[in-house]
């Protein structure tokens, strides 16, 4: 196993989790104060890292190219397969549509400003989709390379932003306590989805191979990078703006404007804007890769890169057929979310409100159920520590997250993020 592939896989995991949701964290936790927010962030990191390791425990006894769909079918039967399929498609397509719509609009604005044009947002959406679809269709290796570049630039931009914010952090702002206990529940779904990378795990297992020791490092390090960055971001934002100032912002734009006004630094808004674009790009790559590989497995298509799909002795007909299969998978992957983003924007915006529920099913309930079933049949091999107690606690946490989402929808507790 090459170090290159390990580093690349770790960055794909980190890049998928470290998306635009990071910018929503200060807004979602505005009324909590720093320490309660940090507690929730660390708790959700531990939960999502634990369930990622559960997925590795499941993968060790499966084929190297197994998808969540096939794993659920083998261990939970048809009901498990149907649940996994529905939740996966619901979450992946909603996220991809959101990335296409949001990223396409941002891309169009930047092209118009740079070239003095008047292109429509639809142009940017189509262009972004073509670029990402091309990268993903070539294979995980190409996603790895592009993601490394984007992730590296993203970290540089983030470091610049933090360097502008940290000198203005005031300790008194970090000591403020929750203004409403219900906000602890309200912030849960936003913080939970900020660690959502589980859809990429089958792609990483296929890319790295079933090497549990290496995969454990990839998952733990990949999930820990967002944890550190989220905590630093919370210190910077909740330390610069008071709780009252944070709660006065009801949108990302007003939040960024408040930071720039307080610091009298126009570079803050520029750097945050660039970071948001890069965060969206890396998340879009990771999510669409997971969707592409899921569809590829279901369509029983080859899922290796075009440049290494076949051995050197493969004939031209076989190579052409492989390219055709990947093209068909790419069309099924990207055309539906592009169509929704272009023609039914309110549909996917509504669907995003249920994203946390779909992620709970994929990242908590299914891994717990599959591991419970597998441990009864497989006595040997790698097992995540914690036993049945940890499985029960993870399931209870998933129920709390779903309940908090429904309570917000019913206006029982404040809606945030």
């Amino acid at each position: 196993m090459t170090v290159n592939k390990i580093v690349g896989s770790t960055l794909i995991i980190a890049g998928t989790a470290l998306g635009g949701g990071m910018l929503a964290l200060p807004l979602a936790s505005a009324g909590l104060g720093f320490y309660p927010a940090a507690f929730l962030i660390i708790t959700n990191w531990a939960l999502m890292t634990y369930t990622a390791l559960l997925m590795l425990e499941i993968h060790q006894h499966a084929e190297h190219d197994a998808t969540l769909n096939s794993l659920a079918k083998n261990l939970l039967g048809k009901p498990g397969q149907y649940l996994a399929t529905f939740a996966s498609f619901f979450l992946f397509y909603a996220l991809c549509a959101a990335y296409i719509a949001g990223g396409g609009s941002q891309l169009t604005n930047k092209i118009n400003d740079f070239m003095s044009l008047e292109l429509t947002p639809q142009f940017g959406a189509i262009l972004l989709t073509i670029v990402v679809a091309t990268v993903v269709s070539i294979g995980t290796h190409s996603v790895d390379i592009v993601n490394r570049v984007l992730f590296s630039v993203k970290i540089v931009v983030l470091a610049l932003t933090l360097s502008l914010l940290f000198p203005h952090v005031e300790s008194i702002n970090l000591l403020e306590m929750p203004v409403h206990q219900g906000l602890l529940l309200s912030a849960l779904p936003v913080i939970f989805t900020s660690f959502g990378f589980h859809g990429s795990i089958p792609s990483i297992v296929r890319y790295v191979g079933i090497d549990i020791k290496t995969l454990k490092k990839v998952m733990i390090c990949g999930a820990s990078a967002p944890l550190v960055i989220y905590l630093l971001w919370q210190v910077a934002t909740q330390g610069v703006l008071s709780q009252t100032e944070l709660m006065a912002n009801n949108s990302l734009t007003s939040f960024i404007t408040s930071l720039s006004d307080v610091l009298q630094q126009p570079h803050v808004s520029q750097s945050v804007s660039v970071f948001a674009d890069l965060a969206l790009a890396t998340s879009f790559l990771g999510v669409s890769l997971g969707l592409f590989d899921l569809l590829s497995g279901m369509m029983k298509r080859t899922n290796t890169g075009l440049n290494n799909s076949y051995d050197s002795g493969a004939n031209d007909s076989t190579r052409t057929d492989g390219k055709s299969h990947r093209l068909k998978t790419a069309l099924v992957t990207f055309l539906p979310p592009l169509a929704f983003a272009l023609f039914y924007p309110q549909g996917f915006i509504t669907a995003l409100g249920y994203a946390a529920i779909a992620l709970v099913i994929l990242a908590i309930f299914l891994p717990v159920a599959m591991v419970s079933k597998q441990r009864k049949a497989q006595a040997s091999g790698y097992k995540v520590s914690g036993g049945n107690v940890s499985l029960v606690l993870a399931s209870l946490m998933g129920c709390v997250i779903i309940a908090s989402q429904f309570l917000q929808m019913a206006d029982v507790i404040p809606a945030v993020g």
Side-chain angles (χ1 to χ4, degrees):
M1 177 58 56
T2 64
V3 174
N4 241 0
K5 190 172 284 191
I6 296 173
V7 172
S9 300
T10 302
L11 293 183
I12 289 177
I13 293 295
T16 303
L18 191 61
M22 169 184 161
L23 301 176
L25 286 179
L27 297 178
S29 59
L32 292 180
F34 171 73
Y35 289 103
F39 171 76
L40 287 182
I41 290 172
I42 293 172
T43 300
N44 279 277
W45 164 79
L47 172 66
M48 294 298 265
T49 304
Y50 170 73
T51 57
L53 296 179
L54 290 182
M55 288 300 299
L56 298 186
E57 181 178 335
I58 297 165
H59 271 283
Q60 71 178 322
H61 298 296
E63 298 293 330
H64 82 285
D65 59 349
T67 64
L68 181 61
N69 180 278
S70 63
L71 292 171
K73 180 181 179 181
N74 292 338
L75 291 168
L76 304 177
K78 288 289 186 179
Q81 181 189 18
Y82 294 149
L83 180 62
T85 302
F86 174 78
S88 298
F89 285 159
F90 184 94
L91 179 64
F92 287 162
Y93 277 132
L95 289 177
C96 285
Y99 292 143
I100 290 170
S105 178
Q106 294 279 47
L107 180 60
T108 300
N109 290 338
K110 285 178 170 51
I111 293 175
N112 287 342
D113 291 341
F114 183 73
M115 303 182 68
S116 299
L117 299 174
E118 294 184 4
L119 301 173
T120 63
Q122 287 81 358
F123 173 83
I126 294 171
L127 178 60
L128 176 65
T129 302
I130 291 173
V131 172
V132 173
T134 301
V135 174
V136 171
S137 298
I138 293 173
T140 305
H141 180 64
S142 65
V143 175
D144 178 4
I145 294 173
V146 174
N147 183 75
R148 289 190 203 197
V149 175
L150 295 177
F151 193 90
S152 299
V153 177
K154 182 166 66 174
I155 293 302
V156 172
V157 173
L158 178 62
L160 174 62
T161 305
L162 293 177
S163 69
L164 294 172
L165 294 176
F166 265 96
H168 301 274
V169 170
E170 297 182 14
S171 58
I172 190 171
N173 290 340
L174 298 175
L175 297 175
E176 294 178 308
M177 298 303 291
V179 298
H180 189 290
Q181 298 305 317
L183 291 174
L184 287 166
L185 284 177
S186 298
L188 256 182
V190 177
I191 295 174
F192 171 70
T193 53
S194 296
F195 287 99
F197 60 84
H198 291 57
S200 301
I201 292 177
S203 300
I204 296 300
V205 171
R206 184 179 297 105
Y207 186 47
V208 172
I210 303 179
D211 181 343
I212 298 299
K213 184 177 180 181
T214 298
L215 288 170
K216 282 175 61 178
K217 294 178 182 177
V218 169
M219 297 303 152
I220 294 172
C221 293
S224 297
L227 170 67
V228 173
I229 291 172
Y230 289 160
L231 291 175
L232 290 175
W233 180 241
Q234 290 293 110
V235 171
T237 54
Q238 292 189 299
V240 169
L241 297 176
S242 68
Q243 197 171 66
T244 302
E245 290 171 325
L246 273 172
M247 294 184 69
N249 297 296
N250 57 7
S251 70
L252 179 59
T253 302
S254 62
F255 164 64
I256 296 173
T257 301
S258 296
L259 285 178
S260 299
D261 291 344
V262 169
L263 305 183
Q264 296 183 342
Q265 289 273 7
H267 297 302
V268 171
S269 60
Q270 295 170 3
S271 59
V272 171
S273 176
V274 172
F275 176 85
D277 293 339
L278 294 170
L280 184 148
T282 55
S283 285
F284 189 14
L285 281 170
V287 170
S288 58
L289 175 65
L291 177 58
F292 183 94
D293 283 348
L294 174 64
L295 286 166
S296 181
M298 292 180 65
M299 295 168 68
K300 298 182 179 179
R301 306 305 191 201
T302 180
N303 200 32
T304 51
L306 292 177
N307 56 346
N308 58 3
S309 297
Y310 307 97
D311 58 50
S312 58
N315 57 44
D316 291 340
S317 175
T318 304
R319 293 177 185 273
T320 302
D321 191 47
K323 292 179 182 180
S324 174
H325 289 165
R326 292 187 67 84
L327 176 60
K328 292 176 183 177
T329 305
L331 291 175
V332 178
T333 300
F334 292 98
L335 282 183
L338 176 61
F340 271 96
L342 293 178
F343 303 110
Y344 305 101
Q346 295 307 316
F348 80 80
I349 289 173
T350 302
L352 282 176
Y354 298 88
I357 298 173
L359 186 58
V360 167
I361 294 172
L362 291 177
I364 300 180
F365 290 162
L366 283 174
V368 167
M370 289 190 290
V371 161
S372 298
K373 187 69 177 292
Q374 183 169 274
R375 286 179 180 177
K376 295 177 182 178
Q378 296 283 350
S380 60
Y382 166 67
K383 286 184 174 62
V384 184
S385 59
N388 291 332
V389 174
S390 294
L391 295 178
V392 172
L393 289 176
S395 299
L396 289 175
M397 188 66 178
C399 292
V400 171
I401 294 169
I402 288 180
S404 67
Q405 185 72 66
F406 280 120
L407 288 174
Q408 287 186 60
M409 294 174 180
D411 292 328
V412 176
I413 58 176
V416 297

